[in-house]
Amino acid sequence: MRDQVDQAVKNINDFFQMSRRTMQFSVSENTGKMVIEIKDETTGELIRQIPSEEILQLEKKLDEVQGLLFSRKA
């Protein structure tokens, strides 16, 4: 099992190196969730973000609404 994981990681790294892409992991300040960004290595252009910025904003708003609902009941 460990060999399969190691091979999968190697394949992913090889793919990104050949396609001149970088993958960055971070934590959203607003939601505390893991964010993955795929960028063009030469220009720094954001190609894809998982989850998208729209989803992160939606989660933040839902947390705010949930907080309002529960604070009013208490």
Side-chain angles (χ1 to χ4, degrees):
M1 181 67 164
R2 174 67 185 192
D3 290 339
Q4 291 174 332
V5 171
D6 289 343
Q7 185 60 44
V9 169
K10 182 186 179 314
N11 291 343
I12 291 169
N13 286 336
D14 290 347
F15 169 77
F16 278 99
Q17 193 171 37
M18 287 187 317
S19 63
R20 299 188 190 278
R21 305 281 192 257
T22 61
M23 185 186 313
Q24 297 175 324
F25 294 86
S26 62
V27 177
S28 169
E29 292 180 16
N30 292 328
T31 64
K33 304 261 180 172
M34 175 69 71
V35 177
I36 303 169
E37 293 181 334
I38 301 172
K39 295 183 177 183
D40 183 296
E41 189 175 78
T42 55
T43 66
E45 175 188 2
L46 180 65
I47 296 168
R48 174 100 190 226
Q49 178 177 309
I50 304 166
S52 68
E53 192 61 39
E54 292 83 4
I55 295 298
L56 292 173
Q57 292 299 319
L58 178 60
E59 286 180 347
K60 181 181 175 187
K61 294 293 183 191
L62 289 173
D63 285 345
E64 290 172 2
V65 168
Q66 184 179 12
L68 289 172
L69 290 173
F70 285 118
S71 68
R72 288 186 179 171
K73 286 183 177 179

